[in-house]
């Protein structure tokens, strides 16, 4: 089964509110990637984090990689309707196989 | 912008029938992946190729699934016989594979949605 868990599974927010999804691995990751999948679409790469404690920003999106390299988070400030979709983290476990998390589905209430 | 091509986009079949999916990765991408995504779940790796060699097929149900990438370019995933539980999206992805930072970033195709009746 999947060893990379995400919470929450679903999140409904009013447009303009913030959103955060958390990713947790049972084992240390060599790096963490984040993907976004729009409804009916396919996963699209957002960003990769490699270093312990790393923080990266893309406009309203902030990505963090935990100090122990076992967890990560994605925070969206002031959500917009274009943010709708499912956000997946994906990590390279010891054998370099990229394992996807369970995903957090974000819906926006206009 | 370069894309990963997959066909067919949709396939409806009856259980016990054979089905095949095709994938053409981005030119120059050495690593090719087949993932299965069940509705509401994350993609699960079925098989990973480095050039023409399989590097991971630990989650591939080998009694009914097979995958090949004979010339190290395009790839075919086959299911025979299909079962009801095989209904899912089959996603192909590719990456550069080695070298510079970002070489392990996946570019996905649009997927092939399989419905088994």
């Amino acid at each position: 089964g999947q060893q990379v868990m995400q919470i929450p599974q679903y999140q409904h927010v009013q447009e303009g509110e913030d959103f955060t999804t958390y990713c947790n691995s049972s084992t240390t990751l060599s790096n963490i990637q984040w993907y976004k999948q729009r409804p009916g679409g396919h996963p699209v790469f957002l960003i990769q984090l490699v270093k312990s404690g790393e923080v990266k920003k893309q406009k309203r999106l902030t990505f963090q990689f935990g100090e122990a390299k076992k967890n990560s988070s994605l925070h969206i400030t002031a959500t917009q309707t274009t943010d709708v979709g499912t956000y997946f983290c994906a990590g390279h476990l010891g054998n370099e196989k990229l394992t996807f998390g369970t995903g957090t589905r974000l819906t926006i209430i206009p | 912008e370069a894309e990963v091509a997959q066909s067919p986009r949709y396939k409806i079949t009856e259980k016990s029938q054979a089905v095949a999916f095709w994938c053409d990765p981005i030119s120059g991408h050495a690593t090719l992946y087949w993932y299965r995504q069940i509705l509401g779940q994350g993609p699960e790796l079925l098989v990973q190729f480095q050039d023409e060699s399989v590097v991971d097929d630990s989650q591939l149900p080998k009694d009914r699934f097979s995958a090949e990438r004979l010339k190290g370019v395009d790839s075919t995933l086959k299911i025979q016989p299909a079962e009801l539980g095989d209904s899912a999206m089959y996603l192909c992805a590719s990456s550069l594979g080695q070298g510079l930072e970002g070489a392990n970033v996946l570019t996905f195709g649009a997927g092939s949605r399989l419905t088994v009746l």
Side-chain angles (χ1 to χ4, degrees):
Chain A
Q2 290 180 302
Q3 302 173 48
V4 181
M5 303 300 293
Q6 285 182 251
I7 55 170
Q9 187 175 4
Y10 302 97
Q11 186 78 58
H12 312 284
V13 300
Q14 290 275 354
E15 187 175 7
E17 290 183 340
D18 293 355
F19 159 77
T20 304
T21 173
Y22 300 91
C23 175
N24 294 285
S25 169
S26 55
T27 58
T28 302
L29 302 169
S30 55
N31 58 57
I32 192 92
Q33 298 177 2
W34 284 90
Y35 292 78
K36 176 183 178 181
Q37 186 172 22
R38 295 181 183 275
H42 55 278
V44 175
F45 173 76
L46 293 177
I47 206 160
Q48 176 170 272
L49 304 171
V50 179
K51 299 175 183 176
S52 170
E54 188 170 12
V55 178
K56 286 189 176 180
K57 293 189 176 184
Q58 286 181 351
K59 297 182 180 178
R60 295 178 295 105
L61 278 61
T62 302
F63 304 84
Q64 292 187 329
F65 200 8
E67 293 290 342
K69 301 183 78 172
K70 285 187 174 183
N71 57 77
S72 181
S73 66
L74 159 59
H75 179 82
I76 302 178
T77 303
T79 55
Q80 300 176 359
T81 55
T82 53
D83 296 326
V84 164
T86 301
Y87 292 85
F88 291 100
C89 63
H92 280 93
L93 303 179
N95 61 359
E96 298 304 313
K97 173 177 151 181
L98 186 65
T99 300
F100 278 76
T102 47
T104 296
R105 182 175 175 182
L106 172 64
T107 56
I108 307 288
I109 306 166
Chain B
E1 185 176 329
E3 294 183 345
V4 175
Q6 286 191 250
S7 66
R9 286 295 309 277
Y10 304 94
K11 179 69 177 180
I12 300 174
T13 191
E14 294 184 343
K15 62 180 182 179
S16 80
Q17 296 298 305
V19 62
F21 305 111
W22 176 80
C23 172
D24 191 13
I26 292 174
S27 177
H29 278 196
T31 308
L32 185 147
Y33 314 78
W34 284 101
Y35 281 86
R36 176 172 58 187
Q37 186 176 29
I38 295 169
L39 196 62
Q41 298 183 17
E44 178 187 19
L45 181 67
L46 293 175
V47 61
Q48 178 177 336
F49 290 92
Q50 181 68 28
D51 299 311
E52 67 276 7
S53 300
V54 173
V55 296
D56 190 321
D57 63 356
S58 57
Q59 299 302 311
L60 187 71
K62 298 180 186 65
D63 56 334
R64 297 185 301 108
F65 286 65
S66 64
E68 61 183 17
R69 193 185 184 198
L70 293 176
K71 295 183 179 179
V73 181
D74 59 336
S75 175
T76 302
L77 177 70
K78 297 179 180 178
I79 308 174
Q80 183 173 16
E83 296 181 352
L84 295 177
D86 297 332
S87 294
M89 175 75 83
Y90 290 83
L91 292 162
C92 179
S94 68
S95 68
L96 281 169
Q98 294 179 2
L100 300 175
E101 181 179 342
N104 60 357
V105 169
L106 272 59
T107 300
F108 282 87
S112 295
R113 182 169 296 282
L114 174 65
T115 302
V116 182
L117 304 176

